[in-house]
Amino acid sequence: MTEITFNQPYDTAEAKVIIATKEEELTYGAAQIIDRSAFNRLKALIEREDTAENKKEILVLDMVKEAIVLLRVKNTIDTPDLEDLGGKLYGRIKNYKSAAVFARKLPKTDFTAEKVAESLAFGIELASYSFDKYRTKKKPSEFPKLETVNFVAKDKLDKKAYEDKAALANAVRYARDLTNEPANELTPEIYAADIKRLEHLGLKVTLLNQNELKKKGFNMLLSVSQGSANPPYVCVIEHRGNKKSKNWDIALVGKGVTFDAGGISLKPAAGMWDMKQDMAGSAVVAASLKAAAQQKLNLNVVGIVGLVENMPSGTATRPGDIVTSLSGQTVEILNTDAEGRLVLGDCLTYVQQQYNPERIIDIATLTGAIIIALGNEMAGMFTNDDCLAELLSISGEQAGEELWRFPLNDNYRKMIKSDIADIKNISNGRAAGSITAACFLESFVNKGTPWAHLDIAGMDKVEKAKSLYPLGASGFGVRLLNQFLKNLEKK
Ligand code: BES
Ligand code: ZN
Ligand code: ZN
């Protein structure tokens, strides 16, 4: 991981980054910070590399142990693009020990030098993440060398301005770390204890253990964990940022299946290992509360995560079993691999009973079908409220984590009616699998409460590295929900 600093000396860095806009030519004025000979070599490099139709975004003048890096920014750039450019910049400078960026105001845009530094630094923080704790034989030469990136500008940069983004980068790392952990190292019990440690940030964390869950009647959730040797936990995380109000502005609900073998409806062996990440939604919820606490958001936010392991065994739920959910509705479990909705359903009921939140967002790696529909590019959104849909979509665009809305209506709702219980956990065919899953969740939401379900299956893992997403767990959703909470705070 690369450390970000501000206002340290510029000249001692091995890689010196200067910023030009794409529209203006590199003038000596823009590059006052480098010496005349480096400037001339950079000019020559530009002439060699630029073609009439394409001016390169990043140009690197390599000088054995040093480099001058030219970043060229379009004046149509927005924040996600600039963050992305920060990630790409990291890719080009990661093998130098230190780097310094001379930040500047971008003409014809709202970007001040501070904002430019913030976006690039954030991009570098996300791109420089790696999960190496289990690689004992990796040689030092295989690790990137970049230890610090220092930001300077003509005037002193306000370091405090970066604190919010630094907290967010930290939260994304937290979600990625949790999601990358293998299931033997992150059982529901270990996970719950980890979340409990968030209390040092001023959050209140309540853990419900198996006995308490039994007493309260979380029977759907318990039907998922009953085949596992690892007992379930539910964690409730409170951020009371607005002490003046008694109301809970929002509840965030996360699926935390620490391993999804499918239960008796066992999954095929190939790719089953990916199901250690079936707790990604819960990691996003825990990380969102962590960020909310560190940023001291002026909102009352409650998070709830259901932590269970879905295993086949002699004590596991059988297809055809009927359970009475915490809401009182009876549920026929026809496929034990459609377990996420069982976990979330009881959590939705509980959080409404206890907190009566003004709105609810749940987030889950819920269906393989959403990957068929959207691939690994966007997450699915299902909601009963157009306002919530709008605010979530905008937040997604601002954060660079986008959503696509799907429909909900009675024709789909009918598909999960059971012949012998109130509802069943799968529909008859495979058609509209993501929508019928959302309809199942909707039946645990009180009428009139704005609710949105985000299906992030396909987004939780990066198979082809992108600028801000190194391989492995993505933490997708943390930036989106943080932007959403910030927008809600302003409303
Ligand atoms: N955790 C899976 C969904 C999933 C699949 C996430 C692939 C990430 C990648 C979920 O619990 C599941 O197994 N869903 C079933 C539902 C089906 C039985 C109705 C599915 O999508 O196949
Ligand atoms: Zn499953
Ligand atoms: Zn699952």
Side-chain angles (χ1 to χ4, degrees):
M1 194 194 119
T2 301
E3 199 200 341
I4 302 293
T5 60
F6 292 92
N7 308 315
Q8 300 299 309
Y10 182 78
D11 287 337
T12 49
E14 285 187 4
K16 296 184 189 64
V17 183
I18 52 180
I19 300 172
T21 61
K22 271 209 168 171
E23 290 70 22
E24 78 185 9
E25 282 308 318
L26 180 70
T27 59
Y28 190 62
Q32 276 166 3
I33 34 248
I34 56 174
D35 65 38
R36 173 64 72 179
S37 102
F39 176 75
N40 287 339
R41 281 198 280 166
L42 192 57
K43 269 269 188 216
L45 180 72
I46 292 170
E47 270 153 37
R48 270 205 313 279
E49 296 269 330
D50 273 354
T51 57
E53 30 331 316
N54 187 19
K55 284 188 172 187
K56 290 222 168 116
E57 249 182 333
I58 305 180
L59 280 168
V60 183
L61 180 64
D62 262 304
M63 302 180 294
V64 199
K65 276 203 79 180
E66 274 192 317
I68 308 274
V69 182
L70 180 67
L71 265 190
R72 281 141 125 198
V73 185
K74 288 194 210 125
N75 63 16
T76 50
I77 201 159
D78 59 11
T79 304
D81 286 342
L82 200 52
E83 290 170 356
D84 215 60
L85 191 59
K88 287 186 195 147
L89 172 64
Y90 171 75
R92 299 292 292 270
I93 59 177
K94 65 181 180 203
N95 288 323
Y96 293 94
K97 229 178 136 154
S98 59
V101 180
F102 200 97
R104 54 171 285 193
K105 178 180 182 326
L106 300 179
K108 295 189 197 139
T109 72
D110 297 334
F111 285 101
T112 58
E114 229 124 49
K115 193 85 184 59
V116 168
E118 174 186 297
S119 299
L120 292 176
F122 187 61
I124 290 168
E125 286 216 70
L126 294 186
S128 64
Y129 171 85
S130 65
F131 187 74
D132 292 317
K133 67 189 272 204
Y134 296 109
R135 305 189 62 175
T136 64
K137 296 211 165 65
K138 200 170 160 186
K139 298 185 204 85
S141 62
E142 292 177 72
F143 288 101
K145 295 192 186 69
L146 189 60
E147 285 169 7
T148 54
V149 179
N150 174 39
F151 285 84
V152 299
K154 208 158 92 234
D155 304 314
K156 197 169 174 224
L157 290 165
D158 178 12
K159 198 177 145 189
K160 272 216 162 309
Y162 187 62
E163 277 178 5
D164 256 30
K165 273 279 153 105
L168 181 55
N170 190 38
V172 173
R173 276 194 291 271
Y174 178 59
R176 287 178 179 176
D177 278 345
L178 286 170
T179 311
N180 276 322
E181 281 292 346
N184 60 327
E185 296 286 344
L186 195 82
T187 60
E189 187 173 2
I190 298 170
Y191 194 0
D194 206 282
I195 291 177
K196 183 79 181 165
R197 284 199 281 276
L198 293 177
E199 285 199 326
H200 78 270
L201 297 171
L203 293 163
K204 182 175 165 203
V205 179
T206 313
L207 305 186
L208 303 177
N209 65 22
Q210 188 166 26
N211 277 337
E212 288 155 331
L213 294 170
K214 275 187 186 154
K215 257 191 258 151
K216 292 189 192 300
F218 279 69
N219 297 321
M220 277 200 304
L221 182 145
L222 290 163
S223 76
V224 179
S225 63
Q226 76 186 39
S228 167
N230 291 306
Y233 282 84
V234 166
C235 306
V236 184
I237 317 163
E238 294 177 14
H239 167 70
R240 278 214 50 198
N242 180 7
K243 296 244 160 50
K244 283 192 208 125
S245 165
K246 283 209 182 81
N247 293 351
W248 291 90
D249 296 291
I250 183 159
L252 301 177
V253 183
K255 169 177 174 181
V257 177
T258 58
F259 190 74
D260 180 12
I264 297 298
S265 313
L266 191 64
K267 283 185 182 295
M272 198 200 274
W273 48 82
D274 278 344
M275 288 301 121
K276 71 169 189 179
Q277 297 205 172
D278 209 20
M279 35 55 71
S282 63
V284 172
V285 170
S288 296
L289 276 124
K290 187 175 191 206
Q294 291 195 306
Q295 297 174 341
K296 301 192 167 56
L297 293 187
N298 183 27
L299 286 171
N300 294 332
V301 186
V302 55
I304 180 167
V305 292
L307 312 181
V308 298
E309 188 177 57
N310 187 25
M311 298 290 260
S313 79
T315 61
T317 292
R318 294 146 288 249
D321 284 2
I322 296 176
V323 298
T324 303
S325 65
L326 182 60
S327 72
Q329 294 175 90
T330 55
V331 176
E332 187 185 17
I333 300 173
L334 293 179
N335 188 320
T336 62
D337 196 12
E339 84 298 339
R341 60 198 80 181
L342 303 176
V343 174
L344 290 171
D346 278 345
C347 290
L348 282 165
T349 303
Y350 187 72
V351 84
Q352 289 171 98
Q353 286 175 352
Q354 299 293 316
Y355 294 87
N356 190 28
E358 277 177 37
R359 50 187 78 72
I360 308 173
I361 299 174
D362 77 67
I363 181 159
T365 48
L366 204 66
T367 65
I370 203 73
I371 312 176
I372 306 298
L374 296 175
N376 311 95
E377 302 300 328
M378 286 176 140
M381 169 170 64
F382 307 77
T383 172
N384 59 4
D385 188 271
D386 292 345
C387 265
L388 190 54
E390 180 80 10
L391 197 58
L392 270 166
S393 285
I394 291 172
S395 306
E397 281 169 27
Q398 291 170 327
E401 293 189 328
E402 290 189 45
L403 300 171
W404 191 258
R405 188 177 182 182
F406 283 77
L408 294 171
N409 69 38
D410 283 343
N411 293 332
Y412 295 116
R413 291 182 187 110
K414 262 189 240 148
M415 291 161 77
I416 52 162
K417 285 236 143 49
S418 160
D419 294 332
I420 61 166
D422 297 334
I423 46 175
K424 55 188 182 188
N425 80 329
I426 54 165
S427 62
N428 287 342
R430 294 206 305 167
S434 302
I435 302 177
T436 52
C439 289
F440 186 92
L441 298 179
E442 189 192 26
S443 60
F444 297 91
V445 175
N446 297 338
K447 288 239 153 23
T449 301
W451 153 83
H453 155 59
L454 308 180
D455 193 339
I456 57 164
M459 301 307 294
D460 59 304
K461 189 178 177 193
V462 181
E463 312 248 15
K464 241 177 68 200
K466 286 194 225 157
S467 165
L468 301 184
Y469 297 98
L471 293 184
S474 66
F476 180 98
V478 179
R479 288 195 286 150
L480 161 72
L481 289 185
N482 189 249
Q483 186 65 51
F484 176 83
L485 293 179
K486 294 206 148 200
N487 289 338
L488 195 62
E489 195 186 23
K490 279 190 224 118
K491 265 181 90 171

